[in-house]
């Protein structure tokens, strides 16, 4: 998710294409990553002095299908279990 967020930020043509992740576990992991930035590599630590790199600008949590606006291209990252919610 970090790589995708950085890539979308560097490529304005993609910024109209939303990125979603459908995973309660990934959401919990983001909390751990945000809390323990001091355990990450030097690049992430330096970036965190400006802003938290795990607070994504282009990657959104998809909690359910009622939040999903199916009106164009998008990227969805999901586990096999979450793919069954459609």
């Amino acid at each position: 998710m970090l790589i995708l967020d950085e890539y979308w930020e560097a490529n304005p043509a993609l910024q109209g294409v939303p990125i979603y992740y459908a995973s309660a576990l990934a959401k919990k992991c983001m909390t751990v990553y945000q809390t323990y930035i001091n355990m990450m590599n030097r690049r992430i630590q330096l970036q965190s002095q400006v802003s938290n790199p795990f607070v994504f600008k282009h990657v959104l949590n998809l909690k359910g299908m009622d939040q999903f606006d199916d009106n164009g291209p998008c990227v969805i990252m999901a586990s096999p279990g979450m793919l069954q919610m459609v």
Side-chain angles (χ1 to χ4, degrees):
M1 288 189 284
L2 182 62
I3 292 168
L4 280 174
D5 198 62
E6 289 175 353
Y7 190 78
W8 253 239
E9 186 64 29
N11 293 279
L14 294 173
Q15 292 177 7
V17 178
I19 305 170
Y20 300 104
Y21 68 95
S23 171
L25 182 57
K27 184 167 177 59
K28 290 177 184 177
C29 289
M30 289 301 108
T31 303
V32 173
Y33 292 148
Q34 291 170 3
T35 303
Y36 296 103
I37 286 183
N38 61 326
M39 304 296 280
M40 303 293 163
N41 66 33
R42 181 161 172 75
R43 183 180 72 83
I44 297 295
Q45 289 179 13
L46 290 173
Q47 186 177 351
S48 71
Q49 293 174 0
V50 177
S51 66
N52 190 328
F54 296 105
V55 176
F56 302 123
K57 183 176 178 182
H58 304 285
V59 180
L60 307 167
N61 182 20
L62 183 62
K63 295 177 184 169
M65 286 308 295
D66 55 324
Q67 278 189 316
F68 182 60
D69 186 17
D70 186 13
N71 65 356
C74 68
V75 175
I76 298 180
M77 296 177 287
S79 65
M82 294 303 285
L83 288 174
Q84 293 178 3
M85 70 180 191
V86 278

